[in-house]
Amino acid sequence: MEEGAWGNFSRGAVLALQKKGYKLSQGITGFLEGSAGFEGCGVSSSAAVGVAFLLALESANGLKVTAEDNIELDRLFLSCLDSGLTIDLKCVILQNGLWLDFKMTLKLIKIRLIENEYLGLKNGILDQSAILLSQRHSLTAIHCERRMYELVQPPWYGKNEGDYKILLAFSGLQHALSSKPGYNLRVAECQEAATVLLRAVGRGDCEPLLCNVSVDEYEAHKDLLEGELAKRALHFFSENARVFAGIDAWSQGNLPEFGRLISQSGLSSIHNYECGCEPLVQLRDILAQAPGVYGARFSGAGFRGCCVALVATDLAGEAEKYVRAKYLNAQPDLAKRLTTATFVCDSADHAHVV
């Protein structure tokens, strides 16, 4: 998506709802506000904005949409583009006063439809699930294929805040995921790797997804993969293993182990999924070495300029200072342009209307 074209999300939301047969007679007005200095830095802002538009339109028009309908919208969006359905732009113009504070909740999946097909980004459901399902101090474990999730609570849940903060650091690099081939290319490479493995086990007619390959099948036939395909598959299967290990670590309140897994994930993203670029890799390494940091990795896919770390509460401020100083030394031109280089925050409940 080109810079500044956030209106595409409102158009995608309207198109999705109209294709499903919902009548939109009321428009919306409002404003979107985020943390200053982190615009376009890769912290799921596209998913958050899409959710805002969808819920606003549904609220303005009194629509009740089931989870099943949202999933169906996710799958059918491309067909509405092919059919040449006309968007009624009056639906995104104010017709009567409506005020919404855009801290909101919405049923799962539909926003993925907007990003996948209207905007051309072949992403999954992780961002949207995190926004819509999460609970403060809980780990949201998602089974994407089955559309199931579990909230994993640490031993201190309901007793205290736990000894951690979330530290974001921005590299100063900004570009949209779908404006470059990297992200969608990785998706295609994973599908190609899945095709090789599925053919090797006699299931070549299965949908070419690595989740359709068992760990045992991967181990038995991984030597058939070469170059980038071998790296992509290694990242997929090792990342799955880290997810299950992370669930165990979080449920036991083992922050050092959980942080170690975060850092391992970050390194695999760099070396096996081959995300990021020099400034972003440097920033991740600086974060990982900062005082009190349990672990650090790219935020999201790693094709934008933000990294995230889990840091001990009493050292969060010191870690911020360390990161700013070290990154200024490593990338002075980028660092000097930043109005906000770091941001410390807490975990929170899922998005909701207040």
Side-chain angles (χ1 to χ4, degrees):
M1 184 179 69
E2 65 271 22
E3 183 179 356
W6 290 106
N8 284 347
F9 284 83
S10 65
R11 300 182 186 99
V14 170
L15 187 58
L17 290 165
Q18 287 185 333
K19 173 59 181 177
K20 192 64 178 178
Y22 292 108
K23 304 299 182 181
L24 302 178
S25 60
Q26 299 296 326
I28 59 173
T29 189
F31 68 92
L32 300 171
E33 183 178 9
S35 300
F38 277 81
E39 297 85 356
C41 68
V43 287
S44 304
S45 54
S46 59
V49 169
V51 167
F53 280 122
L54 282 166
L55 186 56
L57 284 166
E58 290 180 4
S59 297
N61 290 276
L63 301 178
K64 303 295 182 181
V65 183
T66 67
E68 291 78 11
D69 283 340
N70 288 333
I71 293 172
E72 184 67 12
L73 282 165
D74 179 38
R75 294 176 177 175
L76 294 180
F77 189 80
L78 184 58
S79 65
C80 74
L81 292 181
D82 293 338
S83 69
L85 182 65
T86 300
I87 302 175
D88 181 3
L89 290 180
K90 291 185 296 182
C91 293
V92 293
I93 300 174
L94 175 65
Q95 294 186 7
N96 68 339
L98 173 68
W99 173 261
L100 288 176
D101 184 332
F102 288 114
K103 293 179 180 178
M104 58 186 62
T105 188
L106 184 68
K107 288 73 64 180
L108 179 62
I109 307 302
K110 190 172 7 168
I111 180 59
R112 182 188 171 204
L113 174 158
I114 296 173
E115 294 190 348
N116 281 181
E117 307 300 352
Y118 191 83
L119 302 177
L121 180 60
K122 305 302 181 183
N123 65 335
I125 62 171
L126 179 60
D127 290 359
Q128 299 81 7
S129 298
I131 292 169
L132 302 171
L133 303 175
S134 295
Q135 184 182 78
R136 183 171 173 82
H137 296 316
S138 297
L139 193 68
T140 308
I142 307 164
H143 193 301
C144 297
E145 182 183 18
R146 297 177 184 173
R147 303 293 195 267
M148 298 173 61
Y149 74 99
E150 176 187 3
L151 296 173
V152 181
Q153 297 172 346
W156 65 78
Y157 183 81
K159 300 176 182 177
N160 57 61
E161 294 297 293
D163 183 24
Y164 77 96
K165 295 286 185 181
I166 298 167
L167 172 58
L168 289 172
F170 186 25
S171 70
L173 296 172
Q174 295 175 298
H175 63 74
L177 289 181
S178 57
S179 67
K180 295 183 182 294
Y183 187 88
N184 287 346
L185 178 61
R186 298 301 183 278
V187 175
E189 288 168 341
C190 287
Q191 291 173 333
E192 189 176 348
T195 297
V196 173
L197 294 170
L198 287 167
R199 286 175 178 170
V201 298
R203 297 202 309 279
D205 57 342
C206 285
E207 187 176 4
L209 300 174
L210 286 171
C211 63
N212 288 331
V213 180
S214 71
V215 174
D216 289 342
E217 289 169 339
Y218 166 68
E219 291 294 338
H221 300 285
K222 63 183 180 182
D223 291 342
L224 296 174
L225 301 173
E226 298 179 350
E228 286 79 9
L229 301 190
K231 291 181 179 180
R232 307 303 180 256
L234 174 59
H235 176 69
F236 175 87
F237 286 99
S238 64
E239 191 78 333
N240 274 350
R242 283 187 289 271
V243 166
F244 287 109
I247 291 172
D248 289 341
W250 190 262
S251 67
Q252 296 168 20
N254 191 340
L255 293 176
E257 175 62 12
F258 189 78
R260 186 185 70 84
L261 292 165
I262 291 176
S263 289
Q264 282 189 348
S265 175
L267 292 173
S268 183
S269 293
I270 294 168
H271 300 299
N272 296 322
Y273 212 58
E274 296 183 295
C275 299
C277 56
E278 182 182 64
L280 197 55
V281 172
Q282 288 178 329
L283 181 58
R284 192 221 72 90
D285 292 344
I286 290 169
L287 262 179
Q289 297 165 9
V293 166
Y294 297 114
R297 56 155 294 151
F298 298 152
S299 172
F303 290 95
R304 292 193 186 194
C306 202
C307 293
V308 61
L310 200 68
V311 60
T313 300
D314 60 348
L315 292 174
E318 187 177 343
E320 277 195 283
K321 294 178 183 177
Y322 177 92
V323 171
R324 290 172 184 169
K326 292 291 185 179
Y327 190 65
L328 178 61
N329 183 62
Q331 293 288 338
D333 292 338
L334 286 172
K336 288 176 181 177
R337 296 204 299 263
L338 294 173
T339 57
T340 303
T342 58
F343 185 78
V344 175
C345 59
D346 295 305
S347 64
D349 289 331
H350 58 76
H352 56 282
V353 176
V354 296

